[in-house]
Amino acid sequence: MANKAEILMHPVRMKISQVLMRNKDTGLTSLEMVKIIKDVPQATLYRHIQVMSDAGILRVLKEKKVKSVVEKYYVLNELEAKLNMEEWKKASHEKKLDYVSYYQLSLMTQYQIYLKKIEEQNTREDGATFSLVEMKLDEEQFSQFQNELNELMTKYYHSAGKDTEAPVRTIAFTIIPDA
């Protein structure tokens, strides 16, 4: 793999990251991930788990011996699962467009799954929402806004998981600094 951005932004690896974010306290075995990510062949999923593990993006939380096999429970290594500004700056414009496209495609896929779930439950209640806001902020205000938004997301991300029965909510932001 050329760089962390390419590792993280691959569609299959994004799915792995998402299921591990939902199971950050207990981790998941490779086999458990196969059962959750049904649209990816087992061998393909195992290969991508290995790539992420080799890159330090996944870590083994615990190991459990089952018969003659040792099952590894993987979790996302949250520090390594993020791109820093330097890594992002190194990406070409073409690569950045690819990464944003993967990100948007991932959101679209999640939304399609959500709509299908609503349909299967035979309910009209749709709690999804989206908005587009343009704000005039100077550099200091923009930096403060980003920091506060990050703090808010981090606060709720780390407090989640205490109620294992709570539904998963996907919150996604795209910030375009000067459009």
Side-chain angles (χ1 to χ4, degrees):
M1 279 297 127
N3 61 46
K4 188 171 19 173
E6 288 183 22
I7 294 170
L8 288 170
M9 299 309 289
H10 188 282
V12 172
R13 295 183 204 125
M14 288 176 75
K15 290 179 181 187
I16 293 168
S17 296
Q18 289 169 340
V19 299
L20 289 175
M21 280 189 277
R22 293 178 181 185
N23 295 278
K24 64 184 177 193
D25 295 327
T26 58
L28 292 172
T29 66
S30 299
L31 190 57
E32 289 172 326
M33 285 187 251
V34 167
K35 291 177 183 174
I36 295 169
I37 307 171
K38 296 176 180 157
D39 62 331
V40 178
Q42 184 173 348
T44 301
L45 195 66
Y46 283 9
R47 188 173 63 252
H48 287 287
I49 290 169
Q50 189 62 53
V51 168
M52 294 174 78
S53 187
D54 290 347
I57 293 166
L58 300 185
R59 66 180 176 82
V60 177
L61 176 67
K62 62 184 176 184
E63 294 182 345
K64 185 177 177 184
K65 189 167 182 168
V66 179
K67 298 182 183 174
S68 62
V69 177
V70 176
E71 290 186 334
K72 294 179 182 179
Y73 286 78
Y74 294 96
V75 292
L76 206 57
N77 183 355
E78 293 179 17
L79 294 176
E80 290 298 320
K82 296 178 183 176
L83 291 179
N84 65 37
M85 195 54 81
E86 283 306 309
E87 291 165 324
W88 183 249
K89 286 179 183 177
K90 288 179 186 176
S92 68
H93 293 301
E94 184 178 311
K95 283 291 185 187
K96 287 180 182 178
L97 284 174
D98 287 346
Y99 299 152
V100 170
S101 296
Y102 295 149
Y103 165 77
Q104 295 294 338
L105 182 60
S106 174
L107 288 177
M108 182 66 77
T109 302
Q110 283 188 278
Y111 191 68
Q112 287 172 327
I113 292 167
Y114 169 73
L115 289 176
K116 185 177 179 183
K117 190 175 180 181
I118 287 176
E119 186 178 303
E120 288 170 355
Q121 293 172 349
N122 201 20
T123 181
R124 288 260 185 237
E125 191 170 326
D126 184 353
T129 184
F130 62 92
S131 62
L132 174 65
V133 178
E134 292 187 355
M135 296 185 240
K136 290 191 173 208
L137 303 172
D138 62 29
E139 289 303 315
E140 185 178 323
Q141 290 172 315
F142 181 60
S143 179
Q144 182 178 350
F145 172 77
Q146 285 185 303
N147 289 336
E148 289 175 10
L149 186 58
N150 188 45
E151 287 171 10
L152 185 64
M153 296 283 284
T154 301
K155 171 187 169 184
Y156 283 97
Y157 177 74
H158 289 294
S159 69
K162 293 182 174 111
D163 180 3
T164 57
E165 299 301 315
V168 173
R169 318 277 184 185
T170 299
I171 314 288
F173 289 96
T174 302
I175 296 176
I176 305 171
D178 188 15

